[in-house]
Amino acid sequence: MSENDKDYYQILGISRNAAPDEIRAVYRRLAFQYHPDRSPGEESAAKFQEIMEAYATLSDLDERLRYDARFIETQPTIRIE
C-alpha cells in the first residue's frame, strides 16, 4: 500500500479477520451515524464516503482478497538471525 491508500479496516474499526456479518453490522451503524441527511456538514459527508468505499471493498470477497494482498505485499520483511 502506498501512503495515499486508506486502511479500510481502521475506517470501519474492525479487525482484519472480521466476518462478513460483522462488517455489515458495523457498516450499517456507521452509515446511519454519518449519513448526510442525519449529520449535515462536509466532514460527515467525507466520512460517509470513506465508510461506503471501505464497505464496498471489504464486503466483496474478491475485492477484499485483492486489497489484503496489496497490504501484505507492502509490509516490511523482518529477518531474525
Side-chain angles (χ1 to χ4, degrees), residues 12-70:
L12 295 180
I14 58 176
S15 68
R16 296 202 175 277
N17 59 354
D21 289 342
E22 181 183 358
I23 295 170
R24 183 174 31 261
V26 169
Y27 161 74
R28 290 179 61 136
R29 180 179 50 81
L30 291 174
F32 184 76
Q33 179 181 348
Y34 289 99
H35 193 280
D37 289 343
R38 289 190 43 85
S39 181
E42 289 183 30
E43 187 175 312
S44 289
K47 181 71 173 174
F48 183 74
Q49 288 300 323
E50 278 186 331
I51 292 164
M52 298 271 299
E53 185 180 322
Y55 179 71
T57 299
L58 298 181
S59 66
D60 180 298
L61 182 57
D62 291 335
E63 286 293 319
R64 184 176 179 180
L65 290 172
R66 278 194 286 276
Y67 175 80
D68 288 344
R70 281 188 351 197

